[in-house]
Amino acid sequence: MLLKRRKSDASGPPEPLPERWKMFGDEDPEIVLGGHSNAACYVIARDSGLGPRSVRAGIAYPADFGAVDDSYWDFLATAGAGRAIAVVWDGNQHNGAFLVQPDPPFRVYGCSSVATPEQEAGRWIPRAMVSSYWEPSFADLGRTLDRLVERSRVLVVGTPPPNPEAHVRERFEGKLDWDPWIRDIASTREQASSELPVSPESLRLALWSIIQEGMREQARRAGCTFVAVPDSVRDDAGLLAAPYSAGDLTHANAEYAGVMWAEIEAALSSGEER
Amino acid sequence: MTEHPYRSQPARAFWSRSVAKDFAAGAMTVGPEPLLRRGDRVASAGSCFASNMVPWLESSGLLYVRTEDPHPAFAHLPENLGYRSFSAAYGNVYTARHLRQLLERASGDFQPAEDRWHEDEGVIDPFRPGLRYRAGCDEEFDLLTRQHLRATLDAFNEATVLVFTLGLTEGWESTLDGAVYPACPGTVAGEFDPSRHRFHNFSAEEVRADLVEFIRRLRETNPGVRVILTVSPVPLVATATEQHVVVASSYSKAVLRVAAGETAASMPDVSYFPALEIVTGPQAPHDYLAEDRRSVTEAGITEVMQTLIAASDLPEHGAPPAEAQPVGDPERSPQMDLSRRIAEADCDEVLVES
């Protein structure tokens, strides 16, 4: 339990704070998983018996499933001391910045398997420039890892690929109008919320792959293991396969977390990058 | 007293009347037509000194042609020196051969044999070795390079005036096909290989021929373009010859000055602007060069630009802004705000639904 001093009586007995951070799962875990909102599905997966199967696991997460802050990482470092820690870091940057088609449009080459259709418009932006754009997030991850590795073996877990356009479009249709800010912007553009231009799948995939590369690089630099998202949760285009979507725009579900738990367990036992 | 040709010469033709007293830099620009005119679209290329003129031109009401600005979402990210200083992202173009080959590459008429270097950090463009954001693979390199060369061609073709500031005669070229690099391989990036790279000190005739060929090619697609040639007053930072750097600089500037003068004299709508003389001539104040006697001071740049503007017909005779204004604040991009808000709202909605 967290405690704080009363303002009016610094010498008096501490008053209890509501517990903001909670350890879900095993009381004596071999591995503690934690991170931003993409870590939530791991709580549900464990509660649903979808994983992990061979290790005792705890998930350090906000008790109210809300946002984390600096003190959360203190909690995770303490909870994971002497154990393995799996970090699920951010992973929504591509949606937060570029879910709606940028103006003017741009393209990013997918150096891996992701091809950009020739008919798509926009200038090419170097992948290295996009990576630099997200460098503050990567640097924060790096600093966090440097701290965690002092007392734990640390794994960095890949984050869900972007959803197919049809799924995003479905979310846009009528389900965003409850937000007056989005409604006003759409109105200013003389568009309905459902007509807001979604960035092409190829762009969102390329952006996602840059985020994965950035996390992999930070993991390598800090001496951590990177656990990549396997092809089994991706469709033929490389996007998040429908059975693994949480239904919203950005997150994956417990089935996805079950697959990832298996990847984490395998990495934990082999000691090799997945 | 007999008549002779000097009798009809103006005061500027006499040292005693135009230098020893009553010196005015504006008198050094001659010609019936203004160098720059209202409505001109100005593109530029050249050595680092050339980049100084851009804010002056823009504050004077001229349109400075830019065809390769950074995307607004990424404009706040830094780029290395020079690649955002000119009309397209070609960086510093020190030699006339480099300029000529740049246009040939952009036109698809020259494909250098050694057109990329592979290093751990990515694929490097030998003709833009200092670029901060390098391609990660050959395919990305091809896309980015094609895009850059298209932007370069657009800049050259959109301009009504192209200003080229000649910087160096000393250059490094490929032994395979004579492709000229802006910097010696191995200095900014890449590796120097004496079997593939060699030094070349261009002669006045070579520089003149390259300038003439560049202008001829440029006018094939942009027939009305006027060209202003200048020579950078900045001495060499180092020489690859056996000469003292001062002697090598003197030679280099003399060669460039001759080539620029002969080109201007031999081609229509090509002018020479005396930036070199304004900063380094015997009349120039000591403080036009900094203590290192190489860097041109603000006073020197101001004199050069005020002289250029005075020799032009421009809407305004402005001075450059005191500080470059930041552009492309990502926090102000409506699309990015919208993306962020949608992603957050949808998350919130899920929580509401749960």
Side-chain angles (χ1 to χ4, degrees), chain A residues 2-7 13-17:
Chain A
L2 299 174
L3 302 173
K4 73 173 183 181
R5 297 283 176 188
R6 292 175 196 279
K7 281 184 183 174
E15 114 187 32
L17 271 178

Side-chain angles (χ1 to χ4, degrees), chain B residues 297-348:
Chain B
T297 62
E298 277 301 314
I301 293 168
T302 299
E303 180 74 345
V304 168
M305 292 312 303
Q306 286 181 339
T307 304
L308 176 66
I309 289 168
S312 303
D313 174 24
L314 301 177
E316 298 170 41
H317 284 190
E323 282 186 16
Q325 299 299 310
V327 293
D329 180 355
E331 298 303 316
R332 296 173 61 184
S333 160
Q335 286 75 27
M336 296 168 79
D337 278 346
L338 189 56
S339 291
R340 186 181 306 122
R341 186 60 175 246
I342 287 174
E344 289 172 358
D346 196 58
C347 294
D348 291 346

Side-chain angles (χ1 to χ4, degrees), chain A residues 95-97 99-101 103-104 109 111 123-124 126-127 129 133 171 175 178-179 181 189 248-249 251, chain B residues 69-71 73 76-77 133-134 137 139-140 143 147 335-336 338-342 345-347 349-350:
Chain A
N95 292 311
L99 182 64
V100 175
Q101 172 92 346
D103 181 24
Y109 182 71
C111 268
R123 76 180 84 170
W124 294 101
R127 290 176 68 88
M129 180 178 275
Y133 178 82
R171 293 300 301 175
K175 296 183 178 175
W178 65 274
D179 185 305
W181 190 87
R189 298 165 61 111
D248 67 356
L249 283 168
H251 296 101
Chain B
D69 272 342
H71 189 284
H76 65 291
L77 296 175
Y133 307 106
R134 296 168 171 172
C137 60
E139 292 79 6
E140 186 183 25
L143 290 168
Q147 175 171 269
Q335 286 75 27
M336 296 168 79
L338 189 56
S339 291
R340 186 181 306 122
R341 186 60 175 246
I342 287 174
D346 196 58
C347 294
E349 189 186 20
V350 168

Side-chain angles (χ1 to χ4, degrees), chain B residues 10-243:
Chain B
R12 68 168 184 265
F14 296 89
W15 196 276
S16 61
R17 282 179 256 166
S18 65
V19 181
K21 64 177 183 180
D22 299 333
F23 173 75
M28 290 202 283
T29 57
V30 293
E33 298 292 335
L35 285 170
L36 300 169
R37 304 167 193 164
R38 293 165 192 264
D40 268 339
R41 300 184 300 276
V42 183
S44 69
S47 67
C48 48
F49 179 76
S51 64
N52 291 313
M53 71 171 56
V54 178
W56 284 86
L57 295 177
E58 291 186 322
S59 66
S60 298
L62 282 171
L63 175 68
Y64 186 74
V65 175
R66 293 180 191 273
T67 56
E68 208 172 359
D69 272 342
H71 189 284
F74 302 99
H76 65 291
L77 296 175
E79 179 51 275
N80 293 333
L81 194 64
Y83 295 104
R84 289 182 185 162
S85 301
F86 298 100
S87 296
Y90 30 72
N92 296 328
V93 177
Y94 295 106
T95 62
R97 181 67 55 85
H98 184 185
L99 181 70
R100 170 184 168 176
Q101 291 179 349
L102 177 62
L103 179 56
E104 290 172 347
R105 290 171 61 219
S107 305
D109 296 329
F110 179 44
Q111 174 64 48
E114 186 175 343
D115 70 343
R116 66 196 69 193
W117 297 327
H118 294 93
E119 291 192 352
D120 289 344
E121 315 90 79
V123 186
I124 296 163
D125 184 344
F127 307 100
R128 302 188 296 164
L131 270 183
R132 179 181 286 259
Y133 307 106
R134 296 168 171 172
C137 60
D138 283 327
E139 292 79 6
E140 186 183 25
F141 179 87
D142 290 338
L143 290 168
L144 294 172
T145 303
R146 276 202 299 271
Q147 175 171 269
H148 160 62
L149 292 175
R150 269 198 305 272
T152 298
L153 199 57
D154 287 346
F156 288 169
N157 285 334
E158 286 177 20
T160 58
V161 180
L162 178 80
V163 182
F164 179 52
T165 302
L166 293 135
L168 298 175
T169 57
E170 295 190 17
W172 294 86
E173 64 182 8
S174 167
T175 58
L176 302 173
D177 54 11
V180 168
Y181 308 110
C184 178
T187 54
V188 179
E191 286 184 9
F192 182 73
D193 178 349
S195 71
R196 290 186 288 122
H197 308 129
R198 70 182 167 215
F199 175 69
H200 189 88
N201 201 3
F202 291 97
S203 69
E205 175 51 27
E206 287 175 315
V207 177
R208 188 200 65 79
D210 285 333
L211 289 173
V212 168
E213 178 60 13
F214 169 78
I215 295 168
R216 187 193 68 75
R217 278 180 169 270
L218 178 63
R219 287 179 172 164
E220 285 180 353
T221 53
N222 186 0
V225 68
R226 308 188 322 270
V227 176
I228 298 174
L229 299 173
T230 68
V231 174
S232 166
V234 180
L236 276 65
V237 69
T239 179
T241 68
E242 294 179 347
Q243 302 290 330

Side-chain angles (χ1 to χ4, degrees), chain A residues 3-135:
Chain A
L3 302 173
K4 73 173 183 181
R5 297 283 176 188
R6 292 175 196 279
K7 281 184 183 174
S8 58
D9 180 11
S11 61
E15 114 187 32
L17 271 178
E19 289 191 22
R20 296 177 63 196
W21 320 123
K22 180 178 175 182
M23 181 70 85
F24 297 86
D26 203 289
E27 290 183 357
D28 181 24
E30 296 165 81
I31 182 168
V32 177
L33 182 143
H36 295 100
S37 64
N38 279 309
C41 59
Y42 292 84
V43 180
I44 304 167
R46 192 202 169 280
D47 290 349
S48 307
L50 294 169
R53 302 189 185 282
S54 60
V55 295
R56 299 189 306 279
I59 298 100
Y61 204 65
D64 62 355
F65 276 53
V68 304
D69 62 20
D70 288 348
S71 69
Y72 168 77
W73 302 103
D74 297 337
F75 176 76
L76 178 62
T78 303
R83 315 172 197 272
I85 294 179
V87 175
V88 181
W89 186 266
D90 206 344
N92 278 335
Q93 301 99 312
H94 53 300
N95 292 311
F98 301 115
L99 182 64
V100 175
Q101 172 92 346
D103 181 24
F106 66 81
R107 294 180 281 182
V108 176
Y109 182 71
C111 268
S112 53
S113 60
V114 181
T116 301
E118 278 299 316
Q119 67 270 23
E120 283 181 12
R123 76 180 84 170
W124 294 101
I125 303 293
R127 290 176 68 88
M129 180 178 275
V130 179
S131 182
S132 182
Y133 178 82
W134 282 318
E135 181 55 32

